[in-house]
Amino acid sequence: MNEENILIVRCGEVALKGQNKPYFERMLLERIRKRLLKAGFTKEVHSYRHEGLIYVKSPKDVDQEEVIKEVSKVFGVASVSPAVEAESNMDSIGEEAVKYMMNLIETRGIKTFKVLGKRADKSFPVTSPEIGRQIGAKILIGCKVLKVDVHNPDCLLHVDVRHDATYIYMDKIAGFGGLPLGTNGKGMVLLSGGIDSPVAAWMMAKRGMEIEAVHFHSYPYTSQRAQEKVEELASIVASYTGKFNMHVINLLPIQEQIVQNCPENETTILLRRFMMRIAEKVAEQTDCMMLITGEDLGQVASQTAEALVVTDAVVTKPVMRPLIAMDKVDIMDMAKEIGTYEKSIEPYEDCCTVFLPKHPTTKPKLDRIIESESKLDVEALVEAAVDSQEIIQIKA
């Protein structure tokens, strides 16, 4: 029966969605199909859902490792298993299991095994424990170099008996889990060239949220190459999320007004409030439900509890901060895992470092900040910044 490569795709958290489960499964299947087509796999690679699992089948001449790589990066996929298929009778299952184990002996040098049977089809006449025992006995007869080890086997062989066919596999290759993209609205990410915000964007996308991004620069104090770095970072994020728009906005006119008219130690928090106002305006234009930032509590002066309260006071949309309680080292590890870290640490300028005060306030008072902003034409500055935005489509 094994004329095709077969992948069993498990849905993880999607399986807990109760009456909404079919909707999430359909969305996940759609995302898998789109990703495979985008990766260059033709319609010969076909996928379908059945009994709570998704199956991806491809011709033998298709690179299965590449298919696995693409499928495992789809949000909502918990794990992927390359499998072989057998007819649902004990003789066929035993025959295919022996072939499968012979291949593992040759390619991986395994010496011990254990069979874990699962009777998903309750009409099948052999119970799950008995499937394990009988198929294990057939393997011992057919593969005389192998021994059973029930505690720490080289191979834990899964035999999943279903109504239409039986699937035999060893590996469970972890995916990212989460929820299918597009099942949780859309958010606007404040994307910088640092380590944190790309990770925050990735984490919200993993929860099913589509994203757009707004990026602030201070040209000519920040260089064109600094912006290109952010575009490259965004492109890495897009390899998980698909294409999205990045709204690029020059903050220099606002920064110059703040420096000329407001106390130096309030520069950072005042600028951050302008960023939030602008991001919210852009979010309203693009139907984004919320703002997303990479802020981590206490990491810098603008990320103290007091500063975050003052910052949030200027917007009405919810602000999502998925990194808020994480240690920096854990954020760095996640950046390495998703592939953004090396690009993030390239030493280019950031708008937040322009006119940086020597001693920024860490416990700003809202009334004093509002008093300082009264010296500025806030609405006009925000409108001018939004009107000057450049929109760049980001692709993987």
Side-chain angles (χ1 to χ4, degrees), residues 164-183:
D164 55 335
T166 293
Y167 299 94
I168 300 166
Y169 59 91
M170 171 184 170
D171 297 316
K172 286 188 176 181
I173 301 163
F176 287 117
L179 297 172
L181 201 66
T183 57

Side-chain angles (χ1 to χ4, degrees), residues 139-179:
I139 290 171
L140 286 172
I141 294 170
C143 307
K144 298 186 184 302
V145 298
L146 292 179
K147 294 181 179 179
V148 173
D149 184 343
V150 298
H151 299 295
N152 188 30
D154 296 336
C155 168
L156 178 59
L157 186 70
H158 297 265
V159 177
D160 188 358
V161 180
R162 294 181 175 264
H163 179 72
D164 55 335
T166 293
Y167 299 94
I168 300 166
Y169 59 91
M170 171 184 170
D171 297 316
K172 286 188 176 181
I173 301 163
F176 287 117
L179 297 172

Side-chain angles (χ1 to χ4, degrees), residues 46 63 65 113 118 135 139-140 206 208 217 243 263 267 286 309 329-330 353 356 360 379:
H46 58 285
D63 188 339
E65 293 300 317
F113 75 102
K118 179 182 178 182
I135 299 304
I139 290 171
L140 286 172
K206 180 184 172 183
H217 66 87
K243 64 184 179 182
T267 300
T286 54
V309 169
V329 66
D330 294 329
T353 63
L356 188 68
E379 186 174 342

